[in-house]
Amino acid sequence: MEKIDCTGVILAGGCNRRFPGINKSFQTVGTHTMLARIHTLFSMMFEEVILVVNEPALFLDIDALIVTDIDPSQCALAGLHAGLFHAGFDWSYVTACDVPFVSEKIIRYLLAQRSPGKQIIIPRTWEGLEPLSALYHKSCMPRIETNLKKKVFMIKKFFKPERVRQIPPQTLESLDPDLRFKFNVNTPADLETARGMAQDSDPGYGRG
């Protein structure tokens, strides 16, 4: 498979408040850890993979560019900023380490929607926008940096509507009928749910 001129960014520096003492990245879903599932797909698809972490020593055996936040805010926006800062390509697909069902079909569709004047290609599900399953252009960085300085940490707050292309839920469902791509593991109960989802229907490494 020919790799895409795009960076895959995995944010793995969260505080894990609902998993005290446990690093979610290394929890297994199916036969692999959540991080390994995402990393395998990204390594297959993208020319470059970046892992944004708090503790680099934990990730030294992973074949990726390992970076830490530049801004000290310890939030997802700071992780996004670090990923875009270090990215070698104009576009990056950004996800979190606790989204075990990343979808190749969804990512390829988002990539096909890139066009001049757009900075963000983002899925919009029935619950709203999915900022940690989206494509970002490097030109987003000045607005991200402004919001970090202002301590406005919600990712969607830096968006300029005219620069954003939203992919509607009907289109997403045609590619991923159960919208598994957006399922994220926030709690131990979510982890058990993910393991159940993977047991019978997991196509492996997000290729569904």
Side-chain angles (χ1 to χ4, degrees):
M1 177 186 295
E2 186 174 349
K3 294 188 178 183
I4 302 162
D5 287 346
C6 178
T7 300
V9 176
I10 307 169
L11 306 185
C15 296
N16 294 335
R17 292 185 182 90
R18 283 175 278 190
F19 278 82
I22 296 173
N23 191 305
K24 281 195 289 185
S25 304
F26 304 120
Q27 297 302 299
T28 58
V29 171
T31 57
H32 299 274
T33 66
M34 289 193 284
L35 178 57
R37 293 166 67 90
I38 301 167
H39 178 262
T40 298
L41 177 63
F42 280 17
S43 297
M44 179 183 70
M45 290 187 69
F46 300 130
E47 288 283 1
E48 176 182 57
V49 180
I50 292 177
L51 198 54
V52 184
V53 304
N54 289 336
E55 300 177 83
L58 298 177
F59 301 90
L60 295 180
D61 61 340
I62 296 172
D63 184 16
L65 175 60
I66 310 296
V67 305
T68 57
D69 290 351
I70 299 163
D71 182 274
S73 306
Q74 291 191 316
C75 61
L77 185 65
L80 171 60
H81 172 260
L84 294 181
F85 178 88
H86 290 286
F89 295 95
D90 286 340
W91 285 95
S92 295
Y93 180 83
V94 180
T95 194
C97 68
D98 60 358
V99 184
F101 303 109
V102 285
S103 166
E104 179 181 343
K105 287 182 180 178
I106 295 285
I107 295 171
R108 289 190 180 279
Y109 187 86
L110 297 181
L111 286 162
Q113 305 309 306
R114 292 174 294 178
S115 63
K118 298 299 181 186
Q119 293 179 317
I120 301 163
I121 315 295
I122 188 168
R124 177 171 53 81
T125 65
W126 301 109
E127 289 79 32
L129 297 176
E130 298 292 335
L132 292 184
S133 297
L135 275 173
Y136 295 90
H137 193 274
K138 259 190 179 290
S139 59
C140 292
M141 284 188 60
R143 290 178 65 84
I144 293 174
E145 289 169 353
T146 295
N147 279 18
L148 287 170
K149 288 175 184 174
K150 293 179 178 177
K151 301 192 182 306
V152 178
F153 297 139
M154 183 180 289
I155 291 177
K156 292 178 280 190
K157 291 289 188 181
F158 84 82
F159 292 5
K160 291 184 73 173
E162 67 273 15
R163 294 293 188 93
V164 179
R165 173 161 290 164
Q166 299 183 22
I167 309 304
Q170 296 89 340
T171 300
L172 299 169
E173 286 177 339
S174 72
L175 300 164
D176 182 2
D178 297 321
L179 298 182
R180 286 157 49 97
F181 81 93
K182 74 179 186 69
F183 184 86
N184 67 309
V185 175
N186 285 319
T187 66
D190 292 338
L191 180 59
E192 292 309 309
T193 299
R195 287 170 172 166
M197 291 166 66
Q199 201 163 29
D200 299 320
S201 57
D202 187 1
Y205 303 126
R207 289 185 62 84

